[in-house]
């Protein structure tokens, strides 16, 4: 991306992730409404199936990226003070990273029956 | 951050008039923040559901409780509004429907669609 246009990378990440997130959630919602997994074992088995697992992991990664770009935009819009902006961004980044690590752990649980 | 200027500032939200496009837009932002804030709880439910049959049942119980149902309804509406308003933004990015009258109309339809599908979805999930 060329230098004179600042913010293009974030914008692109937000838009591209949005498309995948929209498609994935819609497909998953329809699938789960059509035939909901009746119990814990069926749920785990479905989550561990190849396409679902890869798609879901990708979903989590892109969701965190999408949430970060969005929340960062909100923080930059409403918090002008450098100190509080830094604090807010740090807290949000930390929270999203923490959620990512927690999600990774759950994915490992799902992947290892 | 920009340097301060002497230009007048008017930010009285109670007096500024908001067209449909503005309302759908701010709702898109609010729903986005709300979804993000809900992530820990959503991940908690997911955690419960994969750890064992007991956890799975517990997650179901939480969602079937009146408060859980209420939360789910709000969550569904937030997600659907964020989704539809977001898709509208993507179209506007491509300059589709960017003329003022079209944009206002699409904003109304988007907001209404989100609300209606949220109600329908909650009806199905109930």
């Amino acid at each position: 991306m060329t230098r004179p246009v600042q913010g293009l990378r974030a914008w692109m990440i937000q838009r591209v992730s949005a498309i995948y997130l929209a498609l994935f959630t819609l497909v998953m919602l329809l699938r789960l409404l059509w035939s909901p997994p009746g119990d814990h074992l069926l749920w785990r088995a479905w989550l561990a199936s190849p396409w679902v697992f890869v798609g879901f992991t990708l979903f989590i990664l892109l969701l965190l990226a999408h949430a970060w770009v969005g929340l960062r935009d909100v923080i930059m819009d409403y918090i002008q003070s450098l100190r509080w902006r830094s604090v807010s961004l740090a807290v949000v980044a930390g929270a999203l990273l923490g959620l990512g690590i927690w999600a990774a752990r759950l994915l490992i649980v799902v992947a290892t029956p | 951050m920009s340097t301060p200027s002497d230009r007048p500032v008017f930010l009285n939200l109670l007096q500024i008039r908001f067209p449909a496009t503005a309302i759908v837009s701010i709702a898109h932002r609010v729903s986005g923040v709300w979804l993000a804030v809900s992530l820990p709880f959503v991940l908690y439910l997911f955690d419960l559901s994969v750890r064992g049959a007991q956890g799975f049942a517990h997650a179901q119980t939480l969602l079937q409780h009146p408060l859980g149902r209420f939360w789910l309804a709000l969550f569904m509406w937030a997600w659907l509004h964020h989704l539809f308003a977001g898709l509208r933004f993507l179209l506007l990015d491509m300059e589709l429907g960017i003329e003022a009258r079209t944009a206002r109309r699409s904003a109304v339809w988007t907001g209404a669609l989100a609300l209606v599908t949220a109600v329908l979805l909650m009806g199905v999930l109930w």
Side-chain angles (χ1 to χ4, degrees), chain A residues 31-105:
Chain A
R31 163 45 171 99
L32 291 173
L33 282 178
W34 182 255
S35 65
D39 62 33
H40 166 73
L41 287 170
L42 289 169
W43 173 235
R44 284 280 298 263
W46 181 73
L47 285 170
S49 58
W51 283 103
V52 177
F53 188 81
V54 171
F56 191 55
T57 304
L58 195 51
F59 171 78
I60 291 172
L61 284 169
L62 291 177
L63 179 63
L64 292 172
H66 187 86
W68 168 243
V69 174
L71 291 171
R72 179 176 160 265
D73 279 347
V74 172
I75 289 169
M76 290 198 300
D77 276 351
Y78 300 137
I79 303 178
Q80 270 69 50
S81 138
L82 178 60
R83 177 181 20 151
W84 290 113
R85 183 184 282 193
S86 308
V87 167
S88 312
L89 288 173
V91 168
V92 170
L96 288 174
L97 283 171
L99 286 174
I101 294 167
W102 184 9
R105 196 168 157 205

Side-chain angles (χ1 to χ4, degrees), chain B residues 93-104:
Chain B
D93 281 348
M94 297 186 278
E95 302 198 6
L96 293 168
I98 206 166
E99 197 266 318
R101 255 169 302 162
T102 317
R104 204 174 305 140

Side-chain angles (χ1 to χ4, degrees), chain A residues 102 106, chain B residues 35 37-48 71 75:
Chain A
W102 184 9
L106 292 177
Chain B
L35 288 170
V37 166
S38 307
L39 277 180
F41 183 60
V42 171
L43 205 50
Y44 173 66
L45 287 175
F46 184 66
D47 186 311
L48 283 175
W71 174 85
F75 186 85

Side-chain angles (χ1 to χ4, degrees), chain B residues 33-80:
Chain B
V33 172
W34 201 90
L35 288 170
V37 166
S38 307
L39 277 180
F41 183 60
V42 171
L43 205 50
Y44 173 66
L45 287 175
F46 184 66
D47 186 311
L48 283 175
S49 75
V50 297
R51 285 203 185 272
Q54 257 186 328
F56 188 82
H58 186 42
Q60 282 180 313
T61 311
L62 283 174
L63 286 172
Q64 281 158 358
H65 185 281
L67 277 178
R69 288 222 158 109
F70 181 64
W71 174 85
L72 188 63
L74 283 181
F75 186 85
M76 286 291 138
W77 185 26
W79 170 61
L80 285 165

